[in-house]
């Protein structure tokens, strides 16, 4: 894999958006400075034009309580079938924006809230990435394995994809 660091803001946001929205689910980690971080699987609602990653959550959740105490977070996205991975370090804040909640609301989301759309604990989490690292293969999993095996036997290095830093300056 060749390394590519993306420093242009627009290009960085596009790469972040493509990977985060395509993979969709991540482990959302809070309390990251402690010996026992808290991790929860979460679905991305959107990566906006500023590079912020949005999630719907319950204000009563452990992750929201942790964010109130320390807003440092880490997100780990993984799509093993496509060999695409994304790790994000950033800060999170809790946002009450009824229009945005309505925008993201659907039947799947409704299942997480006992009182439906009227649940007073519905909150948005906005993650502002500070840095990210990605792995993005050009080929699907089986071809990537075959090319790696071929490279190991022949000594010929094939370009199987990219990995690198995504820098989204605020």
């Amino acid at each position: 894999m060749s390394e590519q660091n993306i420093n242009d803001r627009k290009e960085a946001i596009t790469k972040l958006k493509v990977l985060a929205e395509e993979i969709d689910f991540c482990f959302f980690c809070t309390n990251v400075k402690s010996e026992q971080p808290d991790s929860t699987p979460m679905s991305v609602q959107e990566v906006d034009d500023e590079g912020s990653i949005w999630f719907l959550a319950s204000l009563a959740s452990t992750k929201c309580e942790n964010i109130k105490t320390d807003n440092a977070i880490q997100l780990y996205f993984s799509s093993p079938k496509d060999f695409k991975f994304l790790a994000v370090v950033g800060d999170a804040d809790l946002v009450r924006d009824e229009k945005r909640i309505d925008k993201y609301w659907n039947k799947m989301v409704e299942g997480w809230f006992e009182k439906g759309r009227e649940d007073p604990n519905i909150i948005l989490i906005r993650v502002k990435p500070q840095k990210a690292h990605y792995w993005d293969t050009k080929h699907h999993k089986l071809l990537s394995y075959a090319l790696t095996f071929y490279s190991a036997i022949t000594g010929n290095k094939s370009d199987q994809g990219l990995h690198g830093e995504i820098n989204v300056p605020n």
Side-chain angles (χ1 to χ4, degrees):
M1 288 197 128
S2 57
E3 186 169 343
Q4 177 184 12
N5 294 327
I6 303 172
N7 295 311
D8 176 73
R9 181 172 171 73
K10 186 175 181 181
E11 189 178 339
I13 291 170
T14 298
K15 184 68 171 180
L16 185 69
K17 182 176 184 63
V18 166
L19 286 171
E21 290 182 354
E22 184 178 291
I23 297 172
D24 185 21
F25 283 91
C26 68
F27 273 106
F28 190 111
C29 304
T30 58
N31 202 25
V32 296
K33 296 175 185 169
S34 77
E35 289 183 23
Q36 293 191 350
D38 182 67
S39 298
T40 308
M42 298 283 290
S43 176
V44 171
Q45 298 304 312
E46 175 184 28
V47 178
D48 68 21
D49 293 340
E50 297 300 312
S52 294
I53 306 170
W54 292 86
F55 299 88
L56 276 169
S58 171
L59 195 55
S61 67
T62 301
K63 86 180 114 313
C64 288
E65 289 301 316
N66 288 342
I67 290 168
K68 289 177 192 176
T69 304
D70 181 356
N71 70 342
I73 60 88
Q74 295 174 1
L75 307 175
Y76 296 99
F77 294 84
S78 173
S79 179
K81 70 178 176 60
D82 300 319
F83 260 42
K84 293 182 179 187
F85 307 91
L86 176 65
V88 177
V89 173
D91 294 321
D93 59 331
L94 304 176
V95 178
R96 174 88 52 201
D97 178 339
E98 298 302 325
K99 286 184 181 180
R100 194 176 285 270
I101 292 170
D102 287 340
K103 176 180 174 182
Y104 301 150
W105 196 260
N106 61 54
K107 287 291 183 189
M108 290 297 292
V109 170
E110 191 170 313
W112 292 102
F113 296 93
E114 288 182 26
K115 298 177 184 173
R117 177 61 185 93
E118 303 309 311
D119 192 319
N121 284 316
I122 298 170
I123 195 76
L124 293 160
I125 301 174
R126 175 179 49 202
V127 172
K128 295 180 181 177
Q130 294 175 347
K131 62 181 178 176
H133 194 90
Y134 71 96
W135 297 263
D136 185 3
T137 61
K138 290 181 174 180
H139 316 290
H140 62 76
K141 185 176 179 177
L142 291 177
L143 185 53
S144 290
Y145 280 146
L147 288 170
T148 300
F149 183 67
Y150 175 77
S151 294
I153 291 174
T154 65
N156 294 333
K157 302 293 180 201
S158 63
D159 184 13
Q160 296 181 42
L162 300 172
H163 73 97
E165 302 297 321
I166 301 174
N167 301 306
V168 184
N170 291 327

